[in-house]
Amino acid sequence: RLGRIVNDLLDLSKIESGKIRLRLTSVLISKIVTRVMESFEHLAKTNKIELESNIPDGLPPIFADPDKIIQVLTNLIGNSMKFTPPGGKVTVTCGLSPMTKDTDKKYIEISVSDTGLGISEEDQKKLFKKFSQLETGFNHRSGGTGLGLVISKEIAERHGGRIWISSELYKGATFSFTIPVFEGTSAYLALIQQEIDRVKKDGIDLSLVLIKPKSGKKLS
């Protein structure tokens, strides 16, 4: 447990200081969810908890660092599994975010729901703060520091998304976060900026070649 706390502190320190760079790429959220859920299959069977995913076909790819999204999902599913009693259920749901309607940018919303203990409204205010001890829910039962949720929040926000919780005490909890959809030009511009930032930090050379077709001519 001490080792996990130290690793969380190191991760958080690197994220907050900007020393961890996101390796953004186009990736299907279904592949990430499948990979993470497979890693929990044995634990779910041992604890007699039903583990389910609900991902519609045809979702566009997200623009994200796959390893970091795996880290967020692993933390959220792990928390739900830990505080869901035998016979309970943990569900991962993905879909286009409703917030897409209010902005030109599109997002995929990923939610992890459980039938566990739930978290009081008062304790929900403390969830994404470092070292907050709760009277109910995760920290009170496990003696944890809550750093996993703080790191998850940092990762979601670094991607341009957000994270939040919906819960009632003794009625389960749902953690949700959003990640941008991969969209052509804006994604490529972000990738170029990512490389510019990298070479500035590392002090190496970067060459850019821009190709623009002549007006009225088609590319073969």
Side-chain angles (χ1 to χ4, degrees):
R1 178 172 170 268
L2 180 59
R4 289 196 300 271
I5 292 173
V6 170
N7 287 335
D8 283 346
L9 282 169
L10 290 173
D11 280 348
L12 185 59
S13 175
K14 290 177 182 178
I15 291 173
E16 290 180 334
S17 64
K19 292 182 179 179
I20 289 183
R21 294 191 299 268
L22 297 179
R23 301 181 183 278
L24 300 173
T25 187
S26 171
V27 60
L28 292 175
I29 188 61
S30 57
K31 291 186 176 181
I32 293 178
V33 171
T34 297
R35 178 176 173 183
V36 176
M37 291 188 72
E38 285 176 349
S39 70
F40 282 100
E41 284 180 355
H42 178 70
L43 181 62
K45 186 176 181 180
T46 300
N47 292 345
K48 298 180 181 179
I49 295 173
E50 184 179 356
L51 190 57
E52 180 181 274
S53 64
N54 181 13
I55 308 174
D57 295 330
L59 282 181
I62 58 174
F63 187 45
D65 183 328
D67 289 339
K68 296 295 183 287
I69 303 305
I70 287 173
Q71 185 175 0
V72 174
L73 264 177
T74 297
N75 176 62
L76 297 184
I77 295 176
N79 280 340
S80 290
M81 293 284 290
K82 189 182 299 182
F83 299 100
T84 297
K89 185 176 181 179
V90 174
T91 305
V92 180
T93 304
C94 301
L96 281 174
S97 172
M99 67 187 291
T100 296
K101 299 177 182 178
D102 302 321
T103 176
D104 292 334
K105 199 167 187 177
K106 296 177 181 175
Y107 296 82
I108 295 294
E109 184 175 310
I110 305 102
S111 297
V112 179
S113 304
D114 63 62
T115 57
L117 297 172
I119 302 173
S120 70
E121 185 175 349
E122 185 63 30
D123 278 343
Q124 289 177 36
K125 299 174 184 178
K126 307 174 186 177
L127 273 177
F128 299 102
K129 298 178 181 179
K130 287 183 286 188
F131 307 113
S132 293
Q133 291 290 327
L134 309 185
E135 292 303 318
T136 59
F138 302 125
N139 297 64
H140 181 70
R141 289 288 301 274
S142 67
T145 62
L147 289 176
L149 292 177
V150 177
I151 292 171
S152 295
K153 179 176 182 290
E154 289 284 343
I155 290 174
E157 292 179 350
R158 290 298 174 98
H159 279 83
R162 64 189 186 97
I163 189 170
W164 67 96
I165 181 179
S166 175
S167 178
E168 290 184 44
L169 196 57
Y170 308 120
K171 293 185 178 181
T174 297
F175 281 89
S176 304
F177 66 100
T178 54
I179 297 296
V181 166
F182 181 88
E183 294 183 288
T185 303
S186 60
Y188 291 122
L189 289 175
L191 288 172
I192 292 173
Q193 186 61 53
Q194 176 180 282
E195 289 305 300
I196 291 174
D197 293 341
R198 181 179 67 86
V199 298
K200 281 183 178 179
K201 181 178 183 299
D202 296 341
I204 58 179
D205 295 329
L206 172 68
S207 296
L208 295 177
V209 178
L210 303 179
I211 301 175
K212 181 178 180 181
K214 290 184 178 179
S215 177
K217 291 190 176 183
K218 295 182 179 179
L219 292 176
S220 58

